[in-house]
Amino acid sequence: MSLPHAILTALLEKPSSGLELTRRFDKSIGYFWSATHQQIYRELGRLEAEGLIRALPTEQPARGQKKSYEVLPAGRAELARWTAAAQDPKPLRDTLLLRLRAAAVVGTGGLEADLRRHLELHRRQLAEYQEIETRDFPPDRDAPQDRLRHLVLRAGIDLETFWTGWLARALAEFAELPDAD
């Protein structure tokens, strides 16, 4: 249910074409909500059919020309309704944690190398988020919209900080296991 709301949010921030939305998902929204090009286009069609968005009029209609979309009042109302609705936290489902649990019964072969790989990936993601924070959120940028966007980025920074710390501890534990790789 959240992909349509991610799209409505993005379109309220800036009317965009499907291709532009895909690029924005790849660069920013995708840090916390990912979607494929096909999913975005399919959802745009559904949102338009439901009267929540519309294609902006073009000066010269042409076959194959990209359409840009904007949110209609019904779309804004749906996003406001969804934003205000209570939602329970989602339970954590992480295959790495499940694999670690399985390793307790079948052995740790190959898992330590993957833990190291995960640690490197999380370190890179953390560095990228910190770079975005430095670039996009200087101390004097504190408009309400900026503060909320920064809060979302801080969630990413805090999660990556957690994962890098936890993975370092997991690797230290692996080093003490008798049958570690």
Side-chain angles (χ1 to χ4, degrees), residues 55-74:
L56 291 169
T58 58
E59 293 179 16
Q60 300 175 357
R63 185 176 176 92
Q65 182 179 351
K66 66 180 180 179
K67 291 193 258 184
S68 287
Y69 295 89
E70 70 177 353
V71 177
L72 294 171

Side-chain angles (χ1 to χ4, degrees), residues 26-27 31 122-133 135 153 157:
D26 288 344
K27 289 183 180 175
Y31 291 131
H122 284 287
R123 283 180 174 157
R124 276 192 247 149
Q125 190 64 67
L126 177 59
E128 186 174 343
Y129 286 165
Q130 290 170 330
E131 183 180 309
I132 292 169
E133 183 178 42
R135 182 190 68 219
L153 178 61
I157 289 169

